[in-house]
Amino acid sequence: MVKDKGTRPDKADLVAQEKAARELVSTLGKREFLEQFQRLAKSFAADPGNPGSYACEGCQRCANCMFCKDCDSCFTCTHCTRCELCNNCSHCVDCKSCNACAYCVQSENCSTSAYLVLCRNLQDCNYCFGCVGLAKKDFHILNVPFPRTEYFKVVGRLRKELGIP
């Protein structure tokens, strides 16, 4: 059967291409492997595409994200702004390397947490401000626990003084 140049390859062609690629990779030596790896990494870094994303503006290398702005290398995030290397986050701003977080601001390396501001390395925390290294804590400022109402008063004042919206 003769194929037009514009048609997509059939499944048998794809299987044959994958098999040939596997054979080639399995015979690579150290030098050739490292050259191929560098070429692959360089081409990924140069491609600012956002596969599977919807209504994202100014984002680069994000995948399956929605309604994000100016993010870089995020995955399945929604409504995030200026985040980098985040995964499964929602409504975060200026965060880096966070996972499954929501409504966090200027936080880094946090996971499964919400309403964090200026926090680092928190896990399963909510309503923390300027905290580092906590797990399963709520309503803390600089790693010090606060009653809920007092927490919001102090955080409101600190946000104004620090210029954090």
Side-chain angles (χ1 to χ4, degrees):
M1 175 162 93
V2 177
K3 294 183 183 179
D4 294 332
K5 289 182 180 179
T7 61
R8 292 180 3 176
D10 63 10
K11 188 171 182 170
D13 290 339
L14 292 174
V15 170
Q17 289 173 1
E18 285 180 7
K19 182 179 179 185
R22 280 194 304 272
E23 288 175 7
L24 177 66
V25 169
S26 66
T27 62
L28 292 176
K30 176 182 176 181
R31 181 174 166 219
E32 294 86 7
F33 174 84
L34 292 174
E35 286 173 357
Q36 290 287 350
F37 179 71
Q38 285 181 331
R39 192 174 303 123
L40 185 62
K42 197 178 281 188
S43 70
F44 175 79
D47 181 10
N50 300 302
S53 295
Y54 177 77
C56 291
E57 299 174 14
C59 296
Q60 296 182 359
R61 291 174 291 280
C62 294
N64 302 323
C65 295
M66 296 189 308
F67 309 110
C68 293
K69 294 180 184 174
D70 303 319
C71 293
D72 188 4
S73 304
C74 294
F75 179 70
T76 64
C77 292
T78 179
H79 297 91
C80 292
T81 304
R82 294 182 306 278
C83 292
E84 182 179 348
L85 297 166
C86 291
N87 177 16
N88 199 30
C89 292
S90 175
H91 297 86
C92 293
V93 178
D94 295 320
C95 291
K96 184 174 180 180
S97 300
C98 290
N99 178 44
C101 290
Y103 300 97
C104 297
V105 177
Q106 296 178 16
S107 295
E108 189 172 333
N109 295 322
C110 298
S111 64
T112 56
S113 299
Y115 301 101
L116 307 180
V117 179
L118 293 170
C119 291
R120 305 286 180 265
N121 304 309
L122 268 59
Q123 181 179 353
D124 298 321
C125 294
N126 296 298
Y127 296 103
C128 291
F129 194 98
C131 294
V132 178
L134 297 179
K136 299 182 188 284
K137 301 290 182 184
D138 297 334
F139 301 108
H140 280 61
I141 302 171
L142 295 174
N143 289 18
V144 176
F146 278 78
R148 180 185 173 107
T149 54
E150 190 176 348
Y151 170 87
F152 286 112
K153 286 179 188 174
V154 174
V155 166
R157 181 184 59 78
L158 286 171
R159 277 182 176 264
K160 284 180 187 176
E161 288 185 27
L162 295 169
I164 298 172

